[in-house]
């Protein structure tokens, strides 16, 4: 579409953060995610988790960034338990699952939809041949607890981005290992400004149809969640041409060190790609492919292994930061508190990032510890959607944060959330009832209509 056809030049990034759900807990569900594996069984504080998330959203809104919110999902997912053969009343289903299969009960209680970087892959309208914004919910088939998300995610996205003239929704890819898709956590759009034509960097961990070839590099310890075939399929759905997309393999050693998504080792914004030396298997080839396609010079900001070890990158989540554009052309990096607690990482932030020749002019520290203990940093908690002014005007529901909505959501959390949730509490039928009451009220606050299974009948 030409600029003449598209008068709307005011493109801005809206970060849609996932509101942490009332069943937030530490279940040790995610193989290859070091924080999740080491914190399973701890007592969680869902209220604090949700308030930490809301405080981050409010701080970014107050700083002038556009902030959106996505609702949590219905948990415990009793429908999933029934599909697995647990029957009888809700109380009986929960009791039997708790007795016979406690790990399955934990999975159907996970509040993992808070990590909306895994909700979907999004292509903004300037890059799509039909001039619409394209969405594909991630199938998240790598783990059972996350595989339960895409159906509701699809309904939520369709409810908010409802206007078919402006928004296109694709089905999640087939939920099978060959098309394992983890959404925007493995996707970065690089462009001059948000409204300029972008190049899409898709990062995958393994090739599905390459078996038979002994030489294909793959992680040895932990699973590679994203496949090349999945990334290619999403690019195809969205109509991206070869000249708009780069497919790069993640370094298998990084996956084995706990980098289960690319956004644990790299983050891009505008023309800037902040990445660790061990992010890509073929670093030089990846940068070259990006440069060939981009219409503006790429600004790589490379952090060498000698400055930050893989262990420190994974422990601090330095790269799971939000890199945000400011009106004066500078950028702000929103890092988790853990970066400040790690001496070599904090030194790198000062010496390499702030003092370096790059647009990053400010580093803001945010405390999202409740989420971090499950391996979710600031960047995991948000889905980036670049939208023009008219597209923002076409959003349905009340999902763009302002002071009033922030106040209502905070009061809602304080009314409904527990401040202590241990694994054994998940079988409590009162918890299931509390969440339904809370979510029904929330869909009213957000004005998104009926998106939950219990509302659909
Ligand atoms: O998929 N953790 C999530 C964390 C997702 C982080 N997202 C991004 N990097 N974009 C996961 O591994 C742990 C749940 C538990 O163990 O209770 C969990 O699912």
């Amino acid at each position: 579409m030409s600029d003449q056809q598209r008068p709307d030049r005011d493109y801005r990034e809206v970060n849609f953060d996932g509101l942490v759900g009332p069943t937030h807990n530490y279940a040790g569900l995610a193989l290859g995610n070091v924080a999740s594996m080491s914190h399973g069984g701890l007592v969680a504080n869902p209220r604090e988790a949700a308030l930490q998330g809301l405080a981050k959203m409010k701080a970014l809104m107050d700083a002038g960034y556009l902030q959106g919110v996505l609702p949590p999902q219905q948990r415990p997912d009793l429908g999933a338990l029934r599909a697995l053969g647990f029957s009888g009343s809700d109380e009986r289903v929960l009791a039997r699952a708790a007795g016979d299969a406690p790990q399955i009960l934990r999975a159907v209680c996970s509040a993992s939809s808070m990590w909306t970087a895994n909700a979907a892959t999004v292509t903004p309208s300037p890059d799509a041949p039909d001039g619409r914004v394209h969405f594909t919910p991630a199938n998240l088939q790598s783990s059972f607890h996350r595989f339960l998300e895409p159906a509701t995610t699809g309904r939520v996205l369709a409810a908010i981005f409802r206007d078919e003239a402006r928004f296109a929704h694709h089905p999640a890819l087939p939920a099978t290992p060959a098309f394992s898709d983890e959404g925007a956590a493995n996707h970065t759009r690089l462009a001059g400004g948000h409204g300029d034509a972008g190049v899409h960097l898709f990062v995958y961990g393994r090739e599905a149809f390459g078996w038979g070839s002994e030489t294909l590099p793959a992680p040895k310890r932990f699973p590679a969640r994203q496949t090349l075939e999945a990334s290619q399929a999403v690019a195809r759905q969205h109509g991206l041409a070869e000249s708009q997309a780069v497919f790069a393999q993640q370094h298998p050693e990084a996956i084995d060190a706990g980098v289960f998504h690319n956004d644990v080792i790299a983050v891009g914004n505008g023309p800037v790609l902040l990445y660790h030396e061990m992010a890509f298997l073929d670093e030089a080839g990846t940068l070259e492919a990006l440069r060939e396609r981009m219409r503006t010079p790429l600004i790589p900001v490379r952090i060498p292994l000698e400055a930050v070890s893989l262990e420190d990158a994974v422990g601090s989540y330095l790269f799971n930061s939000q890199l945000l554009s400011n009106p004066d052309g500078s950028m702000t990096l929103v890092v988790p508190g853990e970066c400040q607690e790690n001496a070599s990482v904090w030194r790198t932030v000062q010496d390499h990032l702030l003092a370096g020749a790059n647009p990053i002019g400010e580093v803001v520290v945010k405390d999202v510890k409740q989420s971090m203990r499950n391996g979710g940093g600031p960047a995991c908690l948000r889905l980036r959607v670049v939208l023009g002014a008219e597209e923002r005007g076409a959003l349905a529901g009340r999902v763009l944060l302002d002071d009033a909505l922030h106040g209502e959501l905070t009061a809602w959390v304080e009314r409904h959330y527990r401040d202590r949730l241990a694994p054994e509490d998940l079988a409590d039928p009162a918890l299931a009832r509390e969440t339904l009451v809370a979510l029904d009220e929330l869909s009213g606050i957000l004005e998104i209509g009926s998106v939950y299974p219990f509302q659909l009948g």
Side-chain angles (χ1 to χ4, degrees):
M1 190 181 276
S2 75
D3 282 354
Q4 243 172 350
Q5 284 169 286
R6 196 187 316 107
D8 176 5
R9 298 296 306 155
D10 177 25
Y11 282 85
R12 303 266 312 264
E13 178 178 272
V14 186
N15 280 282
F16 284 86
D17 278 44
L19 190 53
V20 178
T23 59
H24 160 62
N25 72 97
Y26 299 117
L29 297 172
L31 177 64
N33 168 344
V34 176
S36 155
M37 289 164 71
S38 59
H39 293 123
L42 280 190
V43 175
N45 184 336
R47 181 185 301 177
E48 184 178 57
L51 294 178
Q52 284 175 347
L54 279 165
K56 172 169 93 77
M57 296 184 225
K58 166 105 166 80
L60 295 188
M61 173 189 86
D62 287 344
Y65 305 107
L66 291 181
Q67 183 65 56
V69 62
L70 294 177
Q73 301 210 351
Q74 182 184 332
R75 298 291 181 270
D77 188 337
L78 291 169
L81 289 182
R82 289 183 190 283
L84 294 173
F86 296 102
S87 57
S89 65
D90 289 355
E91 286 74 10
R92 193 172 145 71
V93 165
L94 285 168
R96 281 198 51 210
D100 299 354
Q103 206 52 16
I104 295 180
L105 176 62
R106 287 177 197 175
V108 303
C109 288
S110 178
S112 54
S113 67
M114 73 176 86
W115 300 298
T116 51
N118 306 118
T121 306
V122 183
T123 293
S125 55
D127 302 342
D130 64 358
R132 296 191 293 170
V133 186
H134 287 246
F135 299 84
T136 301
N139 62 29
L140 295 174
Q141 68 86 52
S142 292
S143 55
F144 172 57
H145 69 294
R146 303 219 63 181
F147 156 83
L148 300 174
E149 296 175 37
T152 298
T153 299
R155 280 195 297 274
V156 168
L157 293 176
I160 295 170
F161 301 95
R162 197 176 295 172
D163 181 350
E164 285 176 19
R166 294 188 168 86
F167 306 119
H169 297 275
H170 301 276
L173 301 180
T176 189
F179 294 103
S180 181
D181 178 24
E182 299 269 323
N186 293 319
H187 168 256
T188 308
R189 176 177 185 258
L190 296 156
H194 290 314
D196 296 333
V199 170
H200 295 252
L201 173 60
F202 290 88
V203 182
Y204 63 93
R206 66 185 164 92
E207 273 182 57
F209 296 128
W211 32 258
S213 160
E214 300 297 315
T215 52
L216 280 182
K220 296 183 175 61
R221 190 169 167 224
F222 291 140
R225 296 198 195 178
Q226 183 87 27
T227 65
L228 169 63
E229 289 79 355
S231 298
Q232 288 170 329
V234 172
R236 247 187 328 265
Q237 284 182 332
H238 294 200
L240 296 176
E242 215 176 294
S243 58
Q244 295 174 289
V246 171
F247 300 93
Q249 182 166 356
Q250 220 183 332
H251 207 300
E253 281 177 43
I255 295 179
D256 280 339
V259 180
F260 56 98
H261 288 138
N262 175 61
D263 70 3
V264 176
I265 196 111
V267 56
N269 180 54
V272 175
L273 181 63
L274 167 61
Y275 71 99
H276 188 275
E277 173 183 351
M278 293 294 286
F280 311 111
L281 184 60
D282 179 5
E283 178 189 350
T286 303
L287 298 190
E288 193 186 308
L290 288 171
R291 286 195 173 105
E292 269 171 24
R293 290 164 177 77
M294 285 172 66
R295 300 188 192 170
T296 187
L298 174 71
I299 306 177
V301 182
R302 176 187 199 259
I303 305 296
L305 194 56
E306 63 194 34
V308 175
S309 67
L310 277 176
E311 196 188 350
D312 282 347
V314 171
S316 69
Y317 261 39
L318 169 62
F319 298 89
N320 200 259
S321 298
Q322 289 180 249
L323 190 52
L324 302 164
S325 298
N326 300 318
D328 66 359
S330 72
M331 292 190 192
T332 294
L333 191 71
V334 182
V335 304
E338 284 72 3
C339 291
Q340 220 168 7
E341 293 158 19
N342 180 313
S344 63
V345 168
W346 198 239
R347 202 175 323 114
T348 300
V349 165
Q350 309 305 320
D351 299 352
H352 236 95
L353 297 183
L354 287 173
N358 65 67
I360 304 170
E362 183 190 28
V363 170
V364 172
V365 179
K366 283 281 148 248
D367 175 11
V368 287
K369 265 204 173 49
Q370 284 286 331
S371 165
M372 280 289 286
R373 286 195 199 112
N374 257 337
C380 299
L381 286 162
R382 59 92 173 97
L383 180 67
R384 308 158 100 176
V385 188
V386 167
L387 296 170
E390 290 173 8
E391 290 159 353
R392 295 195 295 276
L395 293 178
R398 188 175 163 229
V399 291
L400 289 184
L401 201 70
D402 56 19
D403 282 325
L405 181 58
H406 175 263
E408 280 177 55
L409 291 174
T410 302
W412 172 82
V413 168
E414 282 166 351
R415 239 181 354 263
H416 293 287
Y417 280 48
R418 298 187 181 190
D419 60 5
R420 198 195 132 83
L421 206 56
E424 56 275 17
D425 298 326
L426 299 175
D428 179 1
L431 177 69
R433 287 194 294 271
E434 285 162 29
T435 63
L436 293 194
V437 173
L439 294 182
D440 210 24
E441 202 177 306
L442 179 68
S443 38
I445 295 174
L446 298 179
E447 298 171 13
I448 49 170
S450 299
V451 291
Y452 294 116
F454 77 92
Q455 296 170 322
L456 299 169

